[in-house]
Amino acid sequence: MKRRRLLGGLVAAGAAALLPGCTEEEVPRPPLPLSAGEDGGVYWPLGRALSVTLRTRWRSDPLVTSGSADNQERLRDGRARLAFSTVDVADEAQSGRGPFDAKYPLRALAGLYSDYVHLVVRAESQMKDLDGLAGRPVSTGAPGSGTEIVATRMLAAAGITLRGFERHRLDLHDSIAALRAGVVDAFFFSGGLPTPAIAKFVTDGDSPVRLLDLGQYLDTMRSQYGEVYASGWIPTNAYGLSSVTTVSIPNILAVPHTIGAESAYQLTRLLFVAKPRLARAHPEGRQLDPRSAIDTYPVPLHPGAERYYREQKRA
Protein backbone atom coordinates (compact mmCIF):
# COMPACT_ATOMS: atom_id res chain seq x y z
CA MET A 1 0.00 0.00 0.00
CA LYS A 2 2.78 2.38 0.92
CA ARG A 3 4.59 1.44 -2.29
CA ARG A 4 1.49 2.25 -4.39
CA ARG A 5 1.15 5.62 -2.64
CA LEU A 6 4.82 6.37 -3.26
CA LEU A 7 4.54 5.47 -6.95
CA GLY A 8 1.35 7.49 -7.25
CA GLY A 9 3.07 10.45 -5.72
CA LEU A 10 5.97 10.18 -8.12
CA VAL A 11 3.61 10.00 -11.11
CA ALA A 12 1.67 13.02 -9.88
CA ALA A 13 4.89 14.95 -9.34
CA GLY A 14 6.05 14.04 -12.84
CA ALA A 15 2.76 15.18 -14.36
CA ALA A 16 2.92 18.44 -12.43
CA ALA A 17 6.39 19.08 -13.79
CA LEU A 18 4.92 19.11 -17.28
CA LEU A 19 2.36 21.77 -16.46
CA PRO A 20 2.95 25.42 -17.49
CA GLY A 21 4.73 27.46 -14.89
CA CYS A 22 6.95 24.72 -13.50
CA THR A 23 10.18 25.80 -15.18
CA GLU A 24 10.62 28.06 -18.18
CA GLU A 25 12.65 25.46 -20.06
CA GLU A 26 9.82 22.90 -19.78
CA VAL A 27 7.04 25.18 -21.02
CA PRO A 28 6.30 24.64 -24.73
CA ARG A 29 7.32 27.77 -26.60
CA PRO A 30 5.49 28.66 -29.82
CA PRO A 31 7.53 29.74 -32.86
CA LEU A 32 8.04 33.45 -33.50
CA PRO A 33 10.19 33.99 -36.61
CA LEU A 34 11.62 37.53 -36.72
CA SER A 35 12.31 39.15 -40.08
CA ALA A 36 15.47 41.18 -39.59
CA GLY A 37 17.38 42.34 -42.68
CA GLU A 38 20.63 42.15 -44.59
CA ASP A 39 23.76 40.92 -42.88
CA GLY A 40 25.80 44.12 -42.79
CA GLY A 41 22.89 46.44 -42.03
CA VAL A 42 21.55 47.51 -38.63
CA TYR A 43 18.42 45.34 -38.54
CA TRP A 44 20.53 42.18 -38.43
CA PRO A 45 22.53 42.74 -35.19
CA LEU A 46 19.45 44.17 -33.49
CA GLY A 47 17.36 41.22 -34.64
CA ARG A 48 19.89 38.73 -33.34
CA ALA A 49 20.04 40.49 -29.99
CA LEU A 50 16.26 40.78 -29.65
CA SER A 51 15.72 37.11 -30.50
CA VAL A 52 17.89 36.07 -27.54
CA THR A 53 15.52 37.82 -25.12
CA LEU A 54 12.37 36.65 -26.91
CA ARG A 55 13.45 33.04 -26.46
CA THR A 56 12.33 33.24 -22.83
CA ARG A 57 8.77 32.89 -24.20
CA TRP A 58 9.03 31.95 -27.88
CA ARG A 59 11.20 29.95 -30.24
CA SER A 60 12.49 33.03 -32.01
CA ASP A 61 15.09 33.01 -34.74
CA PRO A 62 16.19 36.07 -36.76
CA LEU A 63 15.82 35.73 -40.51
CA VAL A 64 18.23 37.24 -43.03
CA THR A 65 16.05 39.12 -45.54
CA SER A 66 16.36 41.74 -48.27
CA GLY A 67 14.89 44.41 -46.01
CA SER A 68 11.62 46.19 -45.27
CA ALA A 69 9.54 45.19 -48.32
CA ASP A 70 10.63 41.57 -48.02
CA ASN A 71 9.80 41.70 -44.31
CA GLN A 72 6.29 42.94 -45.04
CA GLU A 73 5.72 40.11 -47.50
CA ARG A 74 6.84 37.63 -44.86
CA LEU A 75 4.41 39.07 -42.32
CA ARG A 76 1.66 38.84 -44.93
CA ASP A 77 2.21 35.17 -45.82
CA GLY A 78 3.03 33.99 -42.30
CA ARG A 79 6.74 33.29 -42.72
CA ALA A 80 7.35 35.91 -40.01
CA ARG A 81 5.36 37.11 -37.02
CA LEU A 82 7.55 40.07 -36.12
CA ALA A 83 9.50 42.37 -38.44
CA PHE A 84 11.61 45.49 -38.67
CA SER A 85 10.40 48.00 -41.25
CA THR A 86 10.76 51.58 -42.31
CA VAL A 87 7.47 53.47 -42.08
CA ASP A 88 7.37 54.39 -45.77
CA VAL A 89 7.35 50.71 -46.74
CA ALA A 90 4.90 49.80 -43.97
CA ASP A 91 2.58 52.55 -45.23
CA GLU A 92 2.72 51.08 -48.74
CA ALA A 93 1.95 47.60 -47.37
CA GLN A 94 -1.06 48.62 -45.32
CA SER A 95 -2.37 50.77 -48.19
CA GLY A 96 -1.79 48.16 -50.92
CA ARG A 97 0.38 50.47 -53.01
CA GLY A 98 3.76 50.22 -54.70
CA PRO A 99 5.09 46.65 -54.67
CA PHE A 100 2.06 45.39 -52.69
CA ASP A 101 -0.99 44.28 -54.65
CA ALA A 102 -3.42 44.24 -51.72
CA LYS A 103 -3.92 46.03 -48.42
CA TYR A 104 -2.46 44.31 -45.39
CA PRO A 105 -3.40 45.73 -41.97
CA LEU A 106 -0.38 46.06 -39.71
CA ARG A 107 0.18 47.05 -36.14
CA ALA A 108 3.30 48.49 -34.53
CA LEU A 109 4.82 47.59 -31.20
CA ALA A 110 7.32 50.47 -31.08
CA GLY A 111 9.08 53.18 -32.96
CA LEU A 112 12.78 52.39 -32.89
CA TYR A 113 15.32 54.67 -34.59
CA SER A 114 15.71 56.34 -37.99
CA ASP A 115 17.35 55.16 -41.18
CA TYR A 116 19.40 57.58 -43.26
CA VAL A 117 19.67 57.42 -47.02
CA HIS A 118 23.31 56.94 -48.05
CA LEU A 119 24.57 57.54 -51.57
CA VAL A 120 28.16 56.27 -51.72
CA VAL A 121 30.54 57.21 -54.56
CA ARG A 122 34.27 56.91 -55.08
CA ALA A 123 36.24 59.73 -53.55
CA GLU A 124 37.66 60.86 -56.91
CA SER A 125 34.22 61.00 -58.53
CA GLN A 126 33.13 64.38 -59.89
CA MET A 127 29.48 63.76 -58.99
CA LYS A 128 27.92 66.38 -56.75
CA ASP A 129 24.22 65.48 -56.78
CA LEU A 130 21.73 63.05 -58.30
CA ASP A 131 21.96 64.71 -61.70
CA GLY A 132 25.45 63.26 -61.93
CA LEU A 133 23.99 59.73 -61.92
CA ALA A 134 22.33 60.15 -65.31
CA GLY A 135 23.60 57.49 -67.69
CA ARG A 136 25.84 55.87 -65.08
CA PRO A 137 25.72 52.38 -63.49
CA VAL A 138 24.10 52.68 -60.07
CA SER A 139 22.93 50.14 -57.48
CA THR A 140 19.53 51.05 -56.07
CA GLY A 141 19.43 48.23 -53.53
CA ALA A 142 18.22 44.66 -53.50
CA PRO A 143 14.74 43.67 -54.67
CA GLY A 144 12.50 43.63 -51.62
CA SER A 145 14.52 46.24 -49.77
CA GLY A 146 13.38 49.55 -48.37
CA THR A 147 16.48 51.00 -50.01
CA GLU A 148 15.13 50.23 -53.46
CA ILE A 149 11.84 51.98 -52.74
CA VAL A 150 13.34 55.16 -51.29
CA ALA A 151 16.12 55.31 -53.91
CA THR A 152 13.60 55.05 -56.75
CA ARG A 153 11.49 57.80 -55.17
CA MET A 154 14.50 60.04 -54.63
CA LEU A 155 15.67 59.63 -58.21
CA ALA A 156 12.18 60.51 -59.43
CA ALA A 157 12.25 63.61 -57.19
CA ALA A 158 15.42 64.61 -59.05
CA GLY A 159 13.71 64.02 -62.40
CA ILE A 160 15.67 60.85 -63.20
CA THR A 161 13.57 57.93 -64.42
CA LEU A 162 14.61 54.29 -64.14
CA ARG A 163 15.57 54.45 -67.81
CA GLY A 164 17.85 57.39 -67.18
CA PHE A 165 20.72 55.34 -65.78
CA GLU A 166 22.10 51.81 -65.76
CA ARG A 167 20.29 50.19 -62.88
CA HIS A 168 21.79 47.42 -60.74
CA ARG A 169 19.64 45.80 -58.03
CA LEU A 170 22.29 44.63 -55.57
CA ASP A 171 22.27 43.99 -51.85
CA LEU A 172 24.63 45.93 -49.64
CA HIS A 173 27.60 43.55 -49.77
CA ASP A 174 27.33 43.17 -53.55
CA SER A 175 26.94 46.95 -53.96
CA ILE A 176 30.17 47.51 -52.05
CA ALA A 177 31.96 44.86 -54.12
CA ALA A 178 30.62 46.39 -57.34
CA LEU A 179 31.76 49.90 -56.40
CA ARG A 180 35.16 48.56 -55.40
CA ALA A 181 35.47 46.74 -58.76
CA GLY A 182 34.23 49.69 -60.83
CA VAL A 183 31.09 47.86 -61.94
CA VAL A 184 28.93 50.66 -60.52
CA ASP A 185 29.75 54.32 -59.95
CA ALA A 186 27.48 54.73 -56.92
CA PHE A 187 25.17 52.83 -54.62
CA PHE A 188 22.25 53.69 -52.37
CA PHE A 189 21.62 52.24 -48.94
CA SER A 190 19.08 53.19 -46.29
CA GLY A 191 20.24 52.27 -42.81
CA GLY A 192 21.01 53.38 -39.29
CA LEU A 193 24.25 54.99 -38.18
CA PRO A 194 26.72 53.60 -38.57
CA THR A 195 25.75 50.89 -41.03
CA PRO A 196 28.29 48.15 -40.19
CA ALA A 197 29.16 47.06 -43.74
CA ILE A 198 29.66 50.65 -44.91
CA ALA A 199 31.78 51.44 -41.85
CA LYS A 200 34.00 48.46 -42.62
CA PHE A 201 34.26 49.47 -46.29
CA VAL A 202 35.45 52.94 -45.29
CA THR A 203 37.84 51.58 -42.67
CA ASP A 204 39.39 49.09 -45.11
CA GLY A 205 40.59 52.11 -47.08
CA ASP A 206 41.39 50.22 -50.29
CA SER A 207 38.72 52.18 -52.21
CA PRO A 208 38.33 55.69 -50.74
CA VAL A 209 34.73 56.90 -50.90
CA ARG A 210 32.54 59.83 -49.96
CA LEU A 211 28.83 60.49 -49.46
CA LEU A 212 26.69 62.75 -51.63
CA ASP A 213 24.49 65.38 -50.00
CA LEU A 214 20.81 64.51 -50.53
CA GLY A 215 18.96 66.97 -48.30
CA GLN A 216 17.76 69.09 -51.21
CA TYR A 217 15.33 66.35 -52.28
CA LEU A 218 13.41 66.15 -49.01
CA ASP A 219 10.73 68.76 -49.78
CA THR A 220 9.79 67.11 -53.07
CA MET A 221 9.58 63.70 -51.44
CA ARG A 222 7.46 64.97 -48.57
CA SER A 223 5.11 66.73 -50.98
CA GLN A 224 4.58 63.44 -52.81
CA TYR A 225 4.66 60.90 -49.98
CA GLY A 226 3.98 62.81 -46.78
CA GLU A 227 5.54 62.80 -43.35
CA VAL A 228 7.12 59.36 -43.61
CA TYR A 229 10.27 61.26 -44.63
CA ALA A 230 12.18 63.76 -42.51
CA SER A 231 15.36 65.78 -42.57
CA GLY A 232 18.48 63.82 -41.71
CA TRP A 233 22.20 64.32 -41.21
CA ILE A 234 25.09 61.89 -41.43
CA PRO A 235 27.79 63.42 -39.23
CA THR A 236 31.53 63.03 -39.68
CA ASN A 237 31.81 60.76 -36.65
CA ALA A 238 29.56 58.13 -38.28
CA TYR A 239 32.23 57.05 -40.80
CA GLY A 240 35.05 59.57 -40.65
CA LEU A 241 33.79 61.14 -43.91
CA SER A 242 32.62 64.69 -44.56
CA SER A 243 29.16 65.24 -43.07
CA VAL A 244 26.15 65.47 -45.39
CA THR A 245 22.45 66.21 -45.12
CA THR A 246 20.05 63.53 -46.26
CA VAL A 247 16.55 62.11 -45.91
CA SER A 248 15.69 60.06 -42.83
CA ILE A 249 12.97 57.45 -42.34
CA PRO A 250 11.69 56.18 -38.97
CA ASN A 251 11.78 52.46 -38.24
CA ILE A 252 9.17 50.42 -36.41
CA LEU A 253 8.82 46.91 -35.04
CA ALA A 254 5.71 45.56 -36.77
CA VAL A 255 3.35 42.62 -36.26
CA PRO A 256 0.25 41.32 -38.07
CA HIS A 257 -2.98 42.84 -36.75
CA THR A 258 -4.14 39.31 -35.83
CA ILE A 259 -1.62 38.87 -33.01
CA GLY A 260 -3.41 38.77 -29.66
CA ALA A 261 -3.26 41.61 -27.16
CA GLU A 262 -1.41 39.58 -24.51
CA SER A 263 1.25 38.44 -26.98
CA ALA A 264 1.70 42.01 -28.24
CA TYR A 265 2.02 43.23 -24.65
CA GLN A 266 4.66 40.62 -23.80
CA LEU A 267 6.57 41.30 -27.02
CA THR A 268 6.66 45.02 -26.22
CA ARG A 269 7.72 44.34 -22.64
CA LEU A 270 10.52 42.03 -23.75
CA LEU A 271 11.68 44.56 -26.33
CA PHE A 272 12.43 46.96 -23.49
CA VAL A 273 13.90 44.20 -21.33
CA ALA A 274 16.27 43.60 -24.25
CA LYS A 275 17.41 47.24 -24.48
CA PRO A 276 20.84 46.69 -22.83
CA ARG A 277 21.49 43.79 -25.19
CA LEU A 278 20.31 45.85 -28.18
CA ALA A 279 22.60 48.72 -27.18
CA ARG A 280 25.56 46.37 -27.04
CA ALA A 281 24.68 44.94 -30.45
CA HIS A 282 24.55 48.35 -32.17
CA PRO A 283 24.51 52.02 -31.06
CA GLU A 284 21.02 52.53 -32.55
CA GLY A 285 19.73 50.17 -29.85
CA ARG A 286 20.26 53.01 -27.37
CA GLN A 287 17.53 55.03 -29.11
CA LEU A 288 14.75 52.83 -27.71
CA ASP A 289 12.67 54.93 -25.32
CA PRO A 290 9.04 54.43 -24.21
CA ARG A 291 8.36 58.16 -24.59
CA SER A 292 9.25 58.16 -28.31
CA ALA A 293 8.37 54.54 -29.09
CA ILE A 294 4.65 55.40 -29.17
CA ASP A 295 5.22 57.46 -32.34
CA THR A 296 4.70 54.89 -35.09
CA TYR A 297 2.82 57.03 -37.62
CA PRO A 298 1.30 56.04 -40.02
CA VAL A 299 1.05 52.53 -38.55
CA PRO A 300 -1.25 52.30 -35.50
CA LEU A 301 0.02 50.85 -32.25
CA HIS A 302 -1.25 47.42 -31.30
CA PRO A 303 -3.65 47.59 -28.31
CA GLY A 304 -1.34 45.25 -26.40
CA ALA A 305 1.54 47.66 -26.92
CA GLU A 306 -0.68 50.58 -25.88
CA ARG A 307 -1.34 48.78 -22.59
CA TYR A 308 2.39 48.48 -21.96
CA TYR A 309 2.99 52.20 -22.55
CA ARG A 310 0.06 53.18 -20.32
CA GLU A 311 1.55 51.11 -17.51
CA GLN A 312 4.95 52.72 -18.01
CA LYS A 313 3.38 56.16 -17.84
CA ARG A 314 1.73 55.34 -14.51
CA ALA A 315 4.87 53.77 -13.07
Side-chain angles (χ1 to χ4, degrees), residues 76 89-96 100 103-107 298-300:
R76 184 190 300 258
V89 176
D91 188 36
E92 294 284 85
Q94 66 181 0
S95 303
F100 306 101
K103 294 181 179 180
Y104 181 68
L106 297 167
R107 294 296 181 266
V299 180

Side-chain angles (χ1 to χ4, degrees), residues 95-308:
S95 303
R97 298 190 304 256
F100 306 101
D101 56 8
K103 294 181 179 180
Y104 181 68
L106 297 167
R107 294 296 181 266
L109 300 181
L112 301 173
Y113 64 96
S114 288
D115 275 1
Y116 298 83
V117 182
H118 299 61
L119 182 53
V120 184
V121 302
R122 284 185 288 275
E124 73 272 14
S125 169
Q126 298 302 307
M127 284 184 280
K128 297 180 180 179
D129 53 30
L130 293 184
D131 289 341
L133 300 180
R136 294 179 180 272
V138 181
S139 174
T140 56
S145 67
T147 295
E148 184 172 58
I149 289 175
V150 71
T152 302
R153 289 178 171 183
M154 185 171 283
L155 288 163
I160 302 174
T161 68
L162 293 181
R163 295 181 179 179
F165 62 98
E166 183 185 319
R167 186 185 192 190
H168 294 251
R169 304 174 76 192
L170 306 175
D171 66 20
L172 179 55
H173 285 293
D174 287 345
S175 292
I176 290 171
L179 186 66
R180 182 179 271 129
V183 175
V184 299
D185 290 341
F187 71 82
F188 285 90
F189 188 76
S190 175
L193 299 178
T195 293
I198 295 177
K200 184 178 184 304
F201 182 35
V202 173
T203 302
D204 287 347
D206 57 331
S207 298
V209 296
R210 60 187 176 87
L211 301 170
L212 290 194
D213 198 288
L214 302 172
Q216 62 181 301
Y217 306 103
L218 173 63
D219 289 345
T220 302
M221 294 181 70
R222 282 175 66 94
S223 69
Q224 294 178 355
Y225 303 105
E227 297 177 9
V228 294
Y229 297 118
S231 177
W233 179 54
I234 302 177
T236 297
N237 63 8
Y239 303 106
L241 303 174
S242 295
S243 64
V244 294
T245 62
T246 189
V247 172
S248 67
I249 319 155
N251 284 292
I252 58 170
L253 191 62
V255 293
H257 73 288
T258 53
I259 280 187
E262 179 61 22
S263 291
Y265 172 86
Q266 294 297 339
L267 283 168
T268 309
R269 180 183 68 82
L270 288 174
L271 171 65
F272 283 88
V273 168
K275 181 176 178 179
R277 181 173 277 123
L278 298 175
R280 290 193 298 270
H282 191 278
E284 293 290 17
R286 303 171 192 158
Q287 302 297 328
L288 185 64
D289 188 308
R291 293 168 296 182
S292 57
I294 60 175
D295 184 7
T296 60
Y297 174 85
V299 180
L301 274 172
H302 193 290
E306 290 180 357
R307 174 187 153 203
Y308 175 82

Side-chain angles (χ1 to χ4, degrees), residues 60-74:
S60 181
D61 291 308
L63 306 174
V64 176
T65 71
S66 297
S68 292
D70 187 12
N71 290 354
Q72 294 297 336
E73 290 289 357
R74 289 168 185 257

